[in-house]
Amino acid sequence: MGFFGGKKHGADLYVDLGTANTLVVSRSKGIVVNEPSVIAYYEDSEGHKRIVAVGEEAKLKIGKTPGNLVAGHPLRDGVIAELDIAEQMLRYFIERAQTWRLKKPRVVVSLPYGVTDIEKKAVRDAGLAAGAAEVLLIDEPMAAAMGADLPVHQPQGNMVIDIGGGTTEIALISLYGIVHCEAVRVGGHKFDRAIVQYIRRHYNLIVGDQSAERLKITLGSALPGGMGGKSQIRGVDFVSGLPRSIEITSAEVSEALESDLNIIFEAARRTLEQAPPDLVPDIIKHGVVVAGGGALLHGMEERLMSELNVPVRIATDPLLTIALGGQRAIQDADLLERITL
């Protein structure tokens, strides 16, 4: 593959373009942007969009916008769903990350494993339109493994589970390559929606995604029966349309999450079953690393150990693991050349 005009060197910026959050890493300064992947805009009758907020400011507008103001995620399941507003979001983040000396940066973007050529082209086009000189792509599971300090360069089996906002990816990695990877469209956003649906089904109460997210963080658990505790939540009664409060327990929140968690556990078991026999002893010895926001769910480490029967550890900083792996890639030209898609 062409490598920045045929010359072997690193890149200026790395973009972890996530469904929930976008992080931008500078080769010299580290993480310079860490904001929600949300954009708010006005749309006129002809479909023209005027951006009014990006990132944290835009997230605050979700569910609270007047009729012609839209606030939402331009990425779904880790890939670009709305190209025009994704371009503008990328431009905003890239401009924020640049110094006055850096006019058109060379950019590396990570994508979920196995995305289509059309999806890859959409990301490249968005990056170029956002001001990049060139755009290279790497696999998110590889970035996660590097960020978790797994020896991806060795002839050793490494297994990483990245539970992101839109997808969970379970990958076996050895010698700079992904031996096998399985992705399921379950992640933090699906957990939130599961809580919303549970409360509506059991209590006839409509609550927003952000309220559900707070319940997930404070009461959610990967362990059956939950972690103990309870909390009040306010919403709108489905029948009367009036505000109402209920009390919900950790056990109920965990029950709401169980179906989606089982999808992740089953995918992880299938990935282990697909492991070449020579790599299985390495995984049994060194275990599995879990990254992404979903790794922070209470009891995730214990539950995965029980489900997979191998050692499991949570990455040191799950929310930043992929970004830290991307930083390694843009600082090391040889490494970047080996893992570029």
Side-chain angles (χ1 to χ4, degrees):
M1 178 174 186
F3 202 74
F4 296 147
K7 296 179 181 180
K8 185 193 289 189
H9 52 77
D12 301 301
L13 297 175
Y14 165 75
V15 180
D16 173 12
L17 196 62
T19 304
N21 291 283
T22 293
L23 288 84
V24 183
V25 182
S26 163
R27 182 170 56 189
S28 58
K29 294 185 176 182
I31 296 171
V32 290
V33 172
N34 183 359
E35 293 203 37
S37 302
V38 182
I39 191 164
Y41 57 91
Y42 285 106
E43 185 169 12
D44 63 25
S45 58
E46 297 180 354
H48 300 127
K49 299 178 177 67
R50 179 169 64 85
I51 307 303
V52 296
V54 181
E56 195 66 53
E57 184 183 352
K59 184 177 180 180
L60 294 174
K61 299 179 185 295
I62 290 180
K64 303 173 184 177
T65 58
N68 61 339
L69 178 62
V70 180
H73 298 264
L75 291 99
R76 298 191 188 98
D77 303 320
V79 295
I80 291 176
E82 298 182 63
L83 183 59
D84 54 346
I85 59 172
E87 286 177 0
Q88 296 188 63
M89 186 180 76
L90 260 179
R91 181 185 297 277
Y92 170 83
F93 288 139
I94 287 174
E95 287 177 350
R96 277 198 53 196
Q98 293 185 69
T99 68
W100 66 272
R101 294 182 300 274
L102 190 60
K103 295 300 183 183
K104 291 182 76 69
R106 298 183 176 95
V107 177
V108 176
V109 181
S110 59
L111 292 177
Y113 180 78
V115 297
T116 66
D117 289 340
I118 293 174
E119 290 166 333
K120 291 176 186 176
K121 184 178 185 302
V123 173
R124 286 196 178 99
D125 289 348
L128 293 172
E134 280 187 89
V135 179
L136 287 181
L137 307 177
I138 63 175
D139 285 313
E140 281 180 0
M142 180 64 73
M146 294 189 302
D149 292 324
L150 293 178
V152 299
H153 60 289
Q154 293 183 6
Q156 168 187 312
N158 302 283
M159 183 167 169
V160 62
I161 300 175
D162 174 39
I163 308 173
T167 59
T168 294
E169 295 179 282
I170 305 106
L172 297 171
I173 295 171
S174 181
L175 283 173
Y176 297 105
I178 294 179
V179 179
H180 180 79
C181 182
E182 181 152 348
V184 291
R185 294 193 171 187
V186 174
H189 289 174
K190 190 82 181 294
F191 293 159
D192 299 340
R193 290 193 293 272
I195 295 170
V196 169
Q197 292 164 4
Y198 181 94
I199 292 173
R200 178 169 176 172
R201 186 168 61 249
H202 289 266
Y203 291 98
N204 265 346
L205 191 72
I206 302 171
V207 299
D209 287 349
Q210 293 191 50
S211 297
E213 183 183 23
R214 287 192 291 271
L215 281 179
K216 176 185 68 179
I217 293 169
T218 57
L219 294 180
S221 177
L223 301 175
M227 57 189 288
K230 53 192 174 182
S231 179
Q232 290 271 331
I233 185 168
R234 292 184 61 83
V236 176
D237 188 280
F238 181 68
V239 177
S240 70
L242 298 175
R244 180 162 63 89
S245 295
I246 62 164
E247 189 173 78
I248 190 165
T249 66
S250 174
E252 290 176 295
V253 176
S254 298
E255 181 184 344
L257 300 176
E258 184 66 14
S259 176
D260 288 323
L261 285 171
N262 278 324
I263 294 173
I264 293 174
F265 302 146
E266 289 167 8
R269 284 194 291 269
R270 287 195 299 270
T271 302
L272 273 175
E273 291 167 2
Q274 293 293 324
D278 288 345
L279 299 184
V280 172
D282 297 327
I283 298 167
I284 293 172
K285 179 180 178 180
H286 300 292
V288 175
V289 177
V290 190
L296 296 172
L297 186 68
H298 174 268
M300 183 62 77
E301 183 176 347
E302 298 93 324
R303 182 70 184 275
L304 275 168
M305 282 194 286
S306 172
E307 295 285 342
L308 302 180
N309 200 30
V310 297
V312 175
R313 70 174 174 91
I314 305 300
T316 303
D317 197 337
L319 292 171
L320 301 181
T321 304
I322 289 180
L324 294 173
Q327 184 175 16
R328 283 185 58 189
I330 63 176
Q331 291 175 338
D332 186 332
D334 289 326
L335 173 61
L336 184 57
E337 184 177 33
R338 287 176 178 270
I339 65 173
T340 299
L341 299 180

